[in-house]
Amino acid sequence: MNQLELKALAKINLGLDVLGKRENGYHDVRMIMQSIYLYDTIRIEKTGADEGISLCSNLSYLPSDGSNIAYKAAELLKEEFGIREGVRITLDKHIPVAAGLAGGSSNAAAVLFGMNRMFRLGLSQKELMDRGVKLGADVPYCIMRGTVLAEGIGEELTRLPAMPKCTVLIAKPPVSVSTKMVYEALDAEEIPKHPDIDGIIKGLEEGDLRQIARSMGNVLEDVTIPMHPVIAQIKQEMLEAGAIGAMMSGSGPTVFGLFENRAAARAAQKNIREKALARQVYVTNIHSVRRD
């Protein structure tokens, strides 16, 4: 196997709660992650012996050196297993960048998964996840995928019942959000309301999409929306168009809406684009992984 092509899926947070801050600066979280069928295409190719890692993408502003998390993933496995052959990584990016959708982490997960297969390293999913957490807190989840409860700093993962099928609308406004700044601002305030994570889990167990939507919540909205009111505008557009729930994903600025009716999601997509609230607006689906 000299070449491999993989889909690196985006994720949304159905619920995101912050429980506290550790002495090392990391935050204890409790959140429910869900992969969606919006993806980057990752191509991995072997090159000559004693060659290094090369990386390119369709986005000129993305780094192509060791500061890129996908590059770091390849470097990690090459060094650990003494892989002499070179690796060429091509990223065809469609997941919005720096958007709260784990695009970079998903790219790194795909590289770990692909190189494990390509070079027959024999690593289990758990062993890949143990290496992934060295690259970023979301990488283990992006290896696991599906509907998952994440605790600790995001690395303690528990598979949940699959999310009921629905249409997902994704809208990323043209603003940038610093995750570090959002969490620092959150520390300075009392969290007024915590999301009902257990209510989401109950909805998943019962296959009740409306229960899930009612229970959704993201404490980081309290910080990010005052910085970028367009997030609240997009949420309102989705709800008025018929979304049964709409929320910011991660630290933002991307907003997602859950729809039972695909035509309603298409109408919301059109409205958001026409009002210039966001240019990157996609209608997609839930990606399910069966619980063993």
mmCIF file of all heavy atoms in Angstrom, residues 76-98:
data_model
loop_
_atom_site.group_PDB
_atom_site.id
_atom_site.type_symbol
_atom_site.label_atom_id
_atom_site.label_comp_id
_atom_site.label_asym_id
_atom_site.label_seq_id
_atom_site.Cartn_x
_atom_site.Cartn_y
_atom_site.Cartn_z
ATOM 1 N N LEU A 76 5.320 12.063 14.694
ATOM 2 C CA LEU A 76 5.245 11.255 15.913
ATOM 3 C C LEU A 76 5.429 9.767 15.598
ATOM 4 O O LEU A 76 6.230 9.077 16.237
ATOM 5 C CB LEU A 76 3.904 11.516 16.598
ATOM 6 C CG LEU A 76 3.635 10.885 17.961
ATOM 7 C CD1 LEU A 76 2.653 11.748 18.747
ATOM 8 C CD2 LEU A 76 3.064 9.476 17.862
ATOM 9 N N LEU A 77 4.720 9.266 14.591
ATOM 10 C CA LEU A 77 4.804 7.844 14.262
ATOM 11 C C LEU A 77 6.110 7.493 13.555
ATOM 12 O O LEU A 77 6.672 6.409 13.789
ATOM 13 C CB LEU A 77 3.610 7.425 13.394
ATOM 14 C CG LEU A 77 2.246 7.425 14.083
ATOM 15 C CD1 LEU A 77 1.170 6.922 13.138
ATOM 16 C CD2 LEU A 77 2.253 6.591 15.364
ATOM 17 N N LYS A 78 6.604 8.385 12.719
ATOM 18 C CA LYS A 78 7.896 8.123 12.046
ATOM 19 C C LYS A 78 9.023 7.966 13.064
ATOM 20 O O LYS A 78 9.845 7.057 12.970
ATOM 21 C CB LYS A 78 8.227 9.262 11.064
ATOM 22 C CG LYS A 78 7.709 9.019 9.651
ATOM 23 C CD LYS A 78 8.041 10.159 8.715
ATOM 24 C CE LYS A 78 9.527 10.281 8.413
ATOM 25 N NZ LYS A 78 10.001 9.183 7.549
ATOM 26 N N GLU A 79 9.014 8.854 14.066
ATOM 27 C CA GLU A 79 10.077 8.804 15.082
ATOM 28 C C GLU A 79 9.932 7.585 15.983
ATOM 29 O O GLU A 79 10.912 6.893 16.273
ATOM 30 C CB GLU A 79 10.063 10.091 15.908
ATOM 31 C CG GLU A 79 10.560 11.311 15.137
ATOM 32 C CD GLU A 79 10.519 12.576 15.972
ATOM 33 O OE1 GLU A 79 10.121 12.507 17.151
ATOM 34 O OE2 GLU A 79 10.898 13.642 15.435
ATOM 35 N N GLU A 80 8.708 7.302 16.426
ATOM 36 C CA GLU A 80 8.512 6.180 17.349
ATOM 37 C C GLU A 80 8.846 4.842 16.707
ATOM 38 O O GLU A 80 9.446 3.966 17.351
ATOM 39 C CB GLU A 80 7.064 6.158 17.849
ATOM 40 C CG GLU A 80 6.797 4.996 18.821
ATOM 41 C CD GLU A 80 5.380 4.948 19.350
ATOM 42 O OE1 GLU A 80 4.599 5.880 19.089
ATOM 43 O OE2 GLU A 80 5.051 3.952 20.030
ATOM 44 N N PHE A 81 8.464 4.672 15.449
ATOM 45 C CA PHE A 81 8.626 3.368 14.804
ATOM 46 C C PHE A 81 9.809 3.315 13.841
ATOM 47 O O PHE A 81 10.012 2.303 13.158
ATOM 48 C CB PHE A 81 7.330 2.977 14.086
ATOM 49 C CG PHE A 81 6.210 2.654 15.042
ATOM 50 C CD1 PHE A 81 5.307 3.635 15.436
ATOM 51 C CD2 PHE A 81 6.075 1.388 15.584
ATOM 52 C CE1 PHE A 81 4.288 3.352 16.333
ATOM 53 C CE2 PHE A 81 5.062 1.096 16.491
ATOM 54 C CZ PHE A 81 4.166 2.076 16.863
ATOM 55 N N GLY A 82 10.598 4.377 13.807
ATOM 56 C CA GLY A 82 11.785 4.373 12.957
ATOM 57 C C GLY A 82 11.454 4.189 11.482
ATOM 58 O O GLY A 82 12.175 3.479 10.763
ATOM 59 N N ILE A 83 10.383 4.813 11.036
ATOM 60 C CA ILE A 83 9.973 4.687 9.627
ATOM 61 C C ILE A 83 10.930 5.506 8.760
ATOM 62 O O ILE A 83 11.031 6.731 8.898
ATOM 63 C CB ILE A 83 8.516 5.169 9.440
ATOM 64 C CG1 ILE A 83 7.557 4.290 10.254
ATOM 65 C CG2 ILE A 83 8.125 5.162 7.960
ATOM 66 C CD1 ILE A 83 6.139 4.835 10.346
ATOM 67 N N ARG A 84 11.615 4.815 7.860
ATOM 68 C CA ARG A 84 12.624 5.488 7.031
ATOM 69 C C ARG A 84 12.010 6.120 5.784
ATOM 70 O O ARG A 84 12.524 7.119 5.267
ATOM 71 C CB ARG A 84 13.715 4.489 6.610
ATOM 72 C CG ARG A 84 14.645 4.077 7.765
ATOM 73 C CD ARG A 84 15.777 3.218 7.236
ATOM 74 N NE ARG A 84 16.525 3.917 6.192
ATOM 75 C CZ ARG A 84 17.333 3.309 5.325
ATOM 76 N NH1 ARG A 84 17.474 1.998 5.354
ATOM 77 N NH2 ARG A 84 17.989 4.005 4.414
ATOM 78 N N GLU A 85 10.933 5.519 5.276
ATOM 79 C CA GLU A 85 10.328 6.059 4.059
ATOM 80 C C GLU A 85 9.720 7.429 4.318
ATOM 81 O O GLU A 85 9.221 7.716 5.404
ATOM 82 C CB GLU A 85 9.248 5.103 3.549
ATOM 83 C CG GLU A 85 9.806 3.821 2.951
ATOM 84 C CD GLU A 85 8.713 2.789 2.742
ATOM 85 O OE1 GLU A 85 8.294 2.171 3.738
ATOM 86 O OE2 GLU A 85 8.298 2.609 1.596
ATOM 87 N N GLY A 86 9.770 8.241 3.296
ATOM 88 C CA GLY A 86 9.166 9.552 3.401
ATOM 89 C C GLY A 86 7.654 9.479 3.269
ATOM 90 O O GLY A 86 7.099 8.474 2.807
ATOM 91 N N VAL A 87 6.985 10.563 3.676
ATOM 92 C CA VAL A 87 5.522 10.629 3.624
ATOM 93 C C VAL A 87 5.109 11.972 3.032
ATOM 94 O O VAL A 87 5.583 13.025 3.469
ATOM 95 C CB VAL A 87 4.904 10.472 5.035
ATOM 96 C CG1 VAL A 87 3.403 10.661 4.976
ATOM 97 C CG2 VAL A 87 5.238 9.113 5.633
ATOM 98 N N ARG A 88 4.224 11.911 2.036
ATOM 99 C CA ARG A 88 3.646 13.130 1.472
ATOM 100 C C ARG A 88 2.170 13.181 1.862
ATOM 101 O O ARG A 88 1.420 12.236 1.605
ATOM 102 C CB ARG A 88 3.777 13.135 -0.052
ATOM 103 C CG ARG A 88 3.216 14.422 -0.705
ATOM 104 C CD ARG A 88 3.276 14.365 -2.230
ATOM 105 N NE ARG A 88 4.648 14.254 -2.677
ATOM 106 C CZ ARG A 88 5.131 13.211 -3.356
ATOM 107 N NH1 ARG A 88 4.340 12.180 -3.655
ATOM 108 N NH2 ARG A 88 6.387 13.179 -3.744
ATOM 109 N N ILE A 89 1.778 14.293 2.506
ATOM 110 C CA ILE A 89 0.392 14.466 2.968
ATOM 111 C C ILE A 89 -0.259 15.597 2.186
ATOM 112 O O ILE A 89 0.293 16.705 2.114
ATOM 113 C CB ILE A 89 0.350 14.787 4.476
ATOM 114 C CG1 ILE A 89 1.031 13.674 5.290
ATOM 115 C CG2 ILE A 89 -1.082 15.005 4.953
ATOM 116 C CD1 ILE A 89 1.312 14.061 6.723
ATOM 117 N N THR A 90 -1.412 15.330 1.606
ATOM 118 C CA THR A 90 -2.168 16.356 0.886
ATOM 119 C C THR A 90 -3.516 16.544 1.581
ATOM 120 O O THR A 90 -4.271 15.588 1.764
ATOM 121 C CB THR A 90 -2.399 15.949 -0.582
ATOM 122 O OG1 THR A 90 -1.133 15.656 -1.188
ATOM 123 C CG2 THR A 90 -3.072 17.071 -1.352
ATOM 124 N N LEU A 91 -3.787 17.780 1.997
ATOM 125 C CA LEU A 91 -5.034 18.113 2.679
ATOM 126 C C LEU A 91 -5.946 18.877 1.717
ATOM 127 O O LEU A 91 -5.583 19.959 1.250
ATOM 128 C CB LEU A 91 -4.767 18.994 3.910
ATOM 129 C CG LEU A 91 -3.708 18.538 4.921
ATOM 130 C CD1 LEU A 91 -3.584 19.568 6.040
ATOM 131 C CD2 LEU A 91 -4.058 17.175 5.481
ATOM 132 N N ASP A 92 -7.096 18.305 1.424
ATOM 133 C CA ASP A 92 -8.115 19.008 0.657
ATOM 134 C C ASP A 92 -9.163 19.467 1.668
ATOM 135 O O ASP A 92 -10.031 18.701 2.097
ATOM 136 C CB ASP A 92 -8.709 18.072 -0.394
ATOM 137 C CG ASP A 92 -9.683 18.780 -1.328
ATOM 138 O OD1 ASP A 92 -9.701 20.024 -1.320
ATOM 139 O OD2 ASP A 92 -10.449 18.093 -2.026
ATOM 140 N N LYS A 93 -9.061 20.749 2.076
ATOM 141 C CA LYS A 93 -9.812 21.263 3.212
ATOM 142 C C LYS A 93 -11.195 21.787 2.797
ATOM 143 O O LYS A 93 -11.322 22.583 1.876
ATOM 144 C CB LYS A 93 -9.039 22.404 3.881
ATOM 145 C CG LYS A 93 -7.679 22.018 4.462
ATOM 146 C CD LYS A 93 -7.822 21.261 5.765
ATOM 147 C CE LYS A 93 -8.369 22.124 6.867
ATOM 148 N NZ LYS A 93 -8.577 21.331 8.120
ATOM 149 N N HIS A 94 -12.215 21.308 3.512
ATOM 150 C CA HIS A 94 -13.578 21.815 3.344
ATOM 151 C C HIS A 94 -14.184 22.207 4.689
ATOM 152 O O HIS A 94 -15.098 23.024 4.731
ATOM 153 C CB HIS A 94 -14.452 20.761 2.671
ATOM 154 C CG HIS A 94 -13.981 20.410 1.294
ATOM 155 N ND1 HIS A 94 -14.234 21.190 0.191
ATOM 156 C CD2 HIS A 94 -13.216 19.372 0.853
ATOM 157 C CE1 HIS A 94 -13.673 20.651 -0.875
ATOM 158 N NE2 HIS A 94 -13.046 19.543 -0.507
ATOM 159 N N ILE A 95 -13.700 21.612 5.784
ATOM 160 C CA ILE A 95 -14.140 22.014 7.124
ATOM 161 C C ILE A 95 -13.610 23.425 7.383
ATOM 162 O O ILE A 95 -12.410 23.667 7.218
ATOM 163 C CB ILE A 95 -13.599 21.058 8.203
ATOM 164 C CG1 ILE A 95 -14.048 19.615 7.941
ATOM 165 C CG2 ILE A 95 -14.037 21.509 9.599
ATOM 166 C CD1 ILE A 95 -13.368 18.592 8.849
ATOM 167 N N PRO A 96 -14.460 24.375 7.765
ATOM 168 C CA PRO A 96 -13.960 25.715 8.082
ATOM 169 C C PRO A 96 -12.840 25.666 9.128
ATOM 170 O O PRO A 96 -12.888 24.872 10.064
ATOM 171 C CB PRO A 96 -15.205 26.438 8.619
ATOM 172 C CG PRO A 96 -16.347 25.745 7.951
ATOM 173 C CD PRO A 96 -15.933 24.302 7.858
ATOM 174 N N VAL A 97 -11.835 26.518 8.943
ATOM 175 C CA VAL A 97 -10.647 26.525 9.803
ATOM 176 C C VAL A 97 -10.893 27.404 11.032
ATOM 177 O O VAL A 97 -11.554 28.443 10.945
ATOM 178 C CB VAL A 97 -9.428 27.039 8.997
ATOM 179 C CG1 VAL A 97 -8.200 27.172 9.887
ATOM 180 C CG2 VAL A 97 -9.138 26.101 7.829
ATOM 181 N N ALA A 98 -10.333 26.979 12.176
ATOM 182 C CA ALA A 98 -10.463 27.729 13.433
ATOM 183 C C ALA A 98 -11.916 28.083 13.701
ATOM 184 O O ALA A 98 -12.279 29.237 13.927
ATOM 185 C CB ALA A 98 -9.592 28.990 13.406
#
